[in-house]
Amino acid sequence: MATYKIGVLYGDGIGPEITKATVEVLTAASKITGNTQFEYVELPMGWVGIEKYNNPMPQFTKDALKETHGWIMGPHDSAAYPAEHKENRNPSGELRIYFDLYANVRPARTMEGIRSVVGEADLVIYRENTEGFYSDRNMYVGVGEWKVTPDVVISSGVFTRKAVERIAHAAFKMAQQRRKKVTIVHKANVIKLGSGLFLDVCGEVGGQYPDVEVDDFHIDAMTAHLVRRAKDFDVIVTENMFGDILSDLAGELVGSLGLAPSINSNNDQAMAQAAHGSAPDIAGENIANPTGIMLSTVMFLDWLSVQHNDSNLSEIARIIENGLFSAVSEGVKTRDLGGNASTTAFTQAIIERLGSSEFASRGE
């Protein structure tokens, strides 16, 4: 029986509730197949890290994560941290840079039982995760912003061939497994050098995948296209900030940002992390929606399955996914989706439906 060591970072706000729910579902699903075990390593992050180590992302946690196959990360409430901690990268940004998790993969697809603003849609956004216009993480030392005078600030965008090539390859490889279409999103008409390099390098990489159709749009036009015809898009590749904005928009268009999953990965490790924030206003009320982080964990399992050539992991992913989709389609929904199920009731409903998965018969 294969054993995988999984880091668990509960985070802030609703983080402990939805992360705990996810671990419960993952554990239950793994027991159905009976072929895989998960060893959970609980590590401090956010307010717990500040209280114990005076750091929202302690070195202790980063060192421990090196020894895992990957991790599940709850949301953080960095906006509420003490001033001295706001000067540094937030916890997720720190892990993305520290582990060079260059690919932020954020799918958006319609789900039975959830109202979509744009009808049917199934797309995935590949967001370059380490540079671009995110000035707190685009420099080797320091940050890419300078206050020239009290009234003048310069913020930089950084684009390198290496970073663009690797996110482009990741996007085109995914497109080969889907509908064989990649859309490059940029602003090369105005940011001619930086965004121009992104567009050109993505185009060059696309030439190595002749079976994949390629088109491109300016970021401003792309927002309108997503609203008007989201179903026409397959894989979208773009830089850091544009990807962050587009993925939030896409998540809301297909139902709710609270449903939106993502993983952050390099070639060796991955981090499951929902696209939404920590919602401190409803923390502890047992009404939070854990769907985003659960589906992020599904993505993480699929990533692990490929990395370790272990089909059992993808089976567990399908069991969780099918159980969650069944619960939602049958009307079990949290308050944000128009239902009245608590976090724990929603989680239990999923667990009860795991056994109905097509893979359940393969287990014990």
Side-chain angles (χ1 to χ4, degrees), residues 41-343:
V41 183
E42 298 183 0
L43 297 166
M45 181 269 282
W47 279 106
V48 173
I50 292 173
E51 292 165 3
K52 190 170 182 179
Y53 293 96
N54 193 34
N55 191 330
M57 182 46 63
Q59 187 63 43
F60 171 84
T61 295
K62 291 186 285 190
D63 289 342
L65 289 175
K66 294 176 185 177
E67 307 303 319
T68 70
H69 291 89
W71 56 94
I72 301 168
M73 182 174 184
H76 52 74
D77 185 19
S78 53
Y81 294 164
E84 63 267 27
H85 298 299
K86 293 181 182 179
E87 297 177 1
N88 302 316
R89 281 190 288 264
N90 64 45
S92 60
E94 176 63 18
L95 290 182
R96 290 170 184 174
I97 293 300
Y98 188 83
F99 288 98
D100 195 26
L101 303 174
Y102 65 86
N104 186 200
V105 185
R106 294 186 167 187
R109 60 173 171 167
T110 47
M111 185 185 306
E112 184 179 349
I114 301 297
R115 179 181 176 274
S116 166
V117 177
V118 292
E120 293 294 320
D122 180 5
L123 61 90
V124 58
I125 295 172
Y126 271 71
R127 167 193 177 194
E128 201 293 312
N129 217 14
T130 64
E131 50 181 41
F133 287 108
Y134 273 43
S135 56
D136 67 334
R137 62 201 71 171
N138 63 10
M139 295 285 169
Y140 179 67
V141 176
V143 296
E145 282 193 316
W146 304 272
K147 198 164 189 178
V148 182
T149 75
D151 302 313
V152 177
V153 173
I154 298 174
S155 298
S156 69
V158 175
F159 301 86
T160 65
R161 176 172 290 273
K162 174 185 174 182
V164 180
E165 283 182 343
R166 62 186 185 177
I167 194 64
H169 277 294
F172 277 93
K173 288 176 181 176
M174 176 55 70
Q176 288 182 315
Q177 301 174 37
R178 289 172 51 94
R179 302 197 306 274
K180 293 183 169 56
K181 182 177 181 180
V182 169
T183 299
I184 307 165
V185 177
H186 59 94
K187 193 62 178 172
N189 60 323
V190 174
I191 309 169
K192 296 183 178 180
L193 296 181
S195 203
L197 179 68
F198 190 95
L199 173 62
D200 291 345
V201 173
C202 284
E204 292 170 11
V205 170
Q208 302 175 41
Y209 300 83
D211 57 329
V212 178
E213 178 187 351
V214 184
D215 61 6
D216 70 272
F217 292 102
H218 297 149
I219 177 62
D220 45 342
M222 187 63 190
T223 59
H225 286 302
L226 271 183
V227 173
R228 181 180 300 167
R229 55 187 189 92
K231 66 180 177 61
D232 293 341
F233 295 98
D234 182 18
V235 176
I236 297 167
V237 62
T238 190
E239 65 91 33
N240 208 339
M241 183 178 289
F242 295 167
D244 198 6
I245 295 168
L246 284 179
S247 58
D248 281 7
L249 172 62
E252 192 66 27
L253 289 175
V254 299
S256 169
L257 185 58
L259 304 173
S262 78
I263 61 168
N264 304 262
S265 66
N266 56 31
N267 298 328
D268 302 303
Q269 287 184 303
M271 171 171 73
Q273 179 189 29
H276 61 74
S278 64
D281 56 317
I282 61 169
E285 296 184 18
N286 196 28
I287 61 173
N289 183 356
T291 298
I293 194 166
M294 287 184 182
L295 291 179
S296 299
T297 301
V298 166
M299 294 178 68
F300 172 50
L301 291 170
D302 284 330
W303 180 90
L304 272 180
S305 177
V306 173
Q307 293 298 112
H308 296 277
N309 192 28
D310 185 348
S311 61
N312 292 318
L313 291 163
S314 63
E315 290 188 1
I316 295 170
R318 299 290 76 74
I319 288 171
I320 296 173
E321 191 174 55
N322 293 340
L324 193 155
F325 289 166
S326 294
V328 172
S329 67
E330 293 170 21
V332 183
K333 304 176 187 178
T334 48
R335 187 181 301 180
D336 61 308
L337 300 177
N340 57 15
S342 64
T343 307

